[in-house]
Amino acid sequence: MRFTNTLAAALLIAASSAADAATDEQYLRRFNAYEPRLGEYSGNEATEIKATRGSRGGLKTPRRRGPAKDVAAVRPKINPNREDGKYHDWRDYDADVYGGKDPYAECVYPQDTEQLDTPDYQALSAICKDELIWTKVLQDTRRERFYTGYEFTSLFDQDMNLTYDVVTDTMPKDRLKKTHPVGTMSKIEVIPHPDQPYTGMFKGVKHGMMRISDTTKTTPTVQKTNPGFGIKFLRDGMTSANILAMFHFDGQSSWNFFKNRWTTILREPNNECARRTIGKHLATVTDHIGGTSVMEVAEYDQYGNKEAEPHWPFQIEFEAYDVYGWTDEYQ
């Protein structure tokens, strides 16, 4: 699998930006993180962190937490604020990929593109879906914020069947993304080994999207991350194929997202709290809370052709080719 330069650049930008931020508060202010309000969603106010000054001059959060506040589960409103004039894809560095022609010139998009799951949207070619999704990704330069503590309460009121069964290229309507809220997107393609035995999109993918994210909030003072990614393989005239992968439910003691292999089948979490909360909630709809099949990747190829005899692997492990020399330290 080969990744475009966009992902590498995005990760470098994210790393350098994080290095400039000495505290969580400064980090949130730098990216103008969203701040949920009751009944609205404002992205113009930086997150305020209330703290009391300790005896040695450091900042400490209050020991006793106040009563839980209802945080409105309202989807953030898109603010089309990008003004850099760039495409952030092949058009910025190799405009002759398609012989100087615009490959999206003949795309005719549905009038309603709010939810990317309508018959008109699914009927589009993979390259037109690629452009539509990427245009939406680039609209708003602000980043989401992480959720903590009682803010996860609404997660346990959600129907987990939607997570496993909804066929769409957007989040289910009215659902707020509480886990993996902060991530970086990239266009990808799959260039398979000529002797690989699998069918469908394992034979090659020209138009795909990848989102790498951290599961929950991290801080520079605690060396722990819990990275994962989602891959969306776009197909002509039909639904996409999707792959989800992580290293482990419990995360890793490193700031290097690429330190460990990621897999499509996870072991159950070792953390007892996680087993009794999110693990139990996922178990209401599946007997395999850490496992996702890649069967749909093998059933149809990127042109929408059905395979007569689909063949797919039971499990996939992903190992990054790290040419940047990332370390375990916070950068």
Side-chain angles (χ1 to χ4, degrees):
M1 183 175 294
R2 187 177 74 183
F3 303 91
T4 64
N5 290 341
T6 307
L7 175 60
L11 290 173
L12 284 171
I13 292 171
S16 61
S17 298
D20 293 338
T23 66
D24 295 343
E25 183 177 4
Q26 291 173 350
Y27 189 72
L28 289 172
R29 288 183 184 279
R30 179 182 179 87
F31 288 96
N32 191 21
Y34 296 120
E35 175 69 7
R37 308 286 185 187
L38 289 176
E40 65 177 2
Y41 220 102
S42 172
N44 297 321
E45 300 180 28
T47 299
E48 296 293 338
I49 299 178
K50 296 182 179 180
T52 57
R53 188 164 295 280
S55 58
R56 293 183 179 272
L59 290 177
K60 294 184 178 180
T61 55
R63 292 184 62 185
R64 292 183 179 273
R65 178 183 296 165
K69 301 177 182 178
D70 292 329
V71 178
V74 179
R75 295 274 288 275
K77 295 180 180 179
I78 300 299
N79 178 18
N81 59 6
R82 183 175 293 278
E83 299 177 350
D84 61 7
K86 296 182 179 180
Y87 294 100
H88 295 271
D89 63 7
W90 57 270
R91 285 168 285 193
D92 291 335
Y93 59 86
D94 191 3
D96 293 328
V97 169
Y98 292 91
K101 298 180 180 179
D102 181 1
Y104 313 113
E106 298 182 2
C107 294
V108 179
Y109 298 110
Q111 185 174 1
D112 181 12
T113 59
E114 184 68 23
Q115 294 295 122
L116 303 184
D117 55 9
T118 64
D120 288 340
Y121 167 77
Q122 299 294 9
L124 294 173
S125 64
I127 194 170
C128 291
K129 293 174 184 175
D130 176 285
E131 175 68 354
L132 178 57
I133 294 174
W134 196 242
T135 299
K136 287 180 172 292
V137 168
L138 296 181
Q139 277 185 316
D140 197 331
T141 60
R142 299 172 301 170
R143 50 149 278 183
E144 180 62 285
R145 71 177 185 88
F146 285 109
Y147 296 87
T148 59
Y150 61 81
E151 292 178 313
F152 284 108
T153 302
S154 63
L155 177 67
F156 298 96
D157 295 329
Q158 294 178 354
D159 180 3
M160 286 293 103
N161 283 297
L162 293 177
T163 301
Y164 287 90
D165 299 334
V166 167
V167 180
T168 179
D169 287 344
T170 45
M171 283 283 286
K173 189 175 181 180
D174 297 328
R175 172 170 285 198
L176 184 60
K177 193 171 185 62
K178 290 295 185 73
T179 60
H180 298 274
V182 179
T184 182
M185 290 281 297
S186 175
K187 292 186 176 184
I188 65 170
E189 63 177 325
V190 175
I191 303 176
H193 190 281
D195 296 330
Q196 69 86 24
Y198 305 114
T199 60
M201 305 194 83
F202 287 109
K203 295 187 296 186
V205 179
K206 186 63 178 177
H207 304 289
M209 297 283 177
M210 183 179 194
R211 182 178 185 269
I212 297 179
S213 60
D214 210 346
T215 308
T216 53
K217 183 179 180 180
T218 56
T219 65
T221 56
V222 180
Q223 186 169 297
K224 182 178 181 180
T225 53
N226 197 354
F229 69 70
I231 293 178
K232 186 171 291 293
F233 295 143
L234 302 173
R235 296 187 280 213
D236 292 342
M238 63 174 299
T239 58
S240 61
N242 301 273
I243 293 178
L244 298 175
M246 290 177 62
F247 164 59
H248 196 283
F249 275 119
D250 297 324
Q252 60 183 21
S253 298
S254 173
W255 285 103
N256 180 5
F257 266 38
F258 305 123
K259 181 180 179 66
N260 296 290
R261 289 185 177 185
W262 297 1
T263 179
T264 55
I265 298 181
L266 299 171
R267 293 178 296 175
E268 290 189 8
N270 295 322
N271 184 285
E272 187 67 19
C273 179
R275 294 169 70 96
R276 291 178 177 271
T277 53
I278 187 62
K280 185 176 181 179
H281 191 44
L282 291 173
T284 61
V285 295
T286 178
D287 292 330
H288 312 284
I289 64 172
T292 52
S293 172
V294 294
M295 178 181 70
E296 67 172 0
V297 180
E299 291 182 311
Y300 295 84
D301 66 15
Q302 61 180 321
Y303 307 109
N305 299 315
K306 184 177 177 60
E307 296 284 359
E309 297 183 5
H311 185 42
W312 64 93
F314 172 73
Q315 179 178 1
I316 301 178
E317 290 189 342
F318 297 84
E319 183 174 0
Y321 180 56
D322 182 6
V323 297
Y324 298 103
W326 299 112
T327 68
D328 292 335
E329 305 303 320
Y330 186 78
Q331 300 182 43

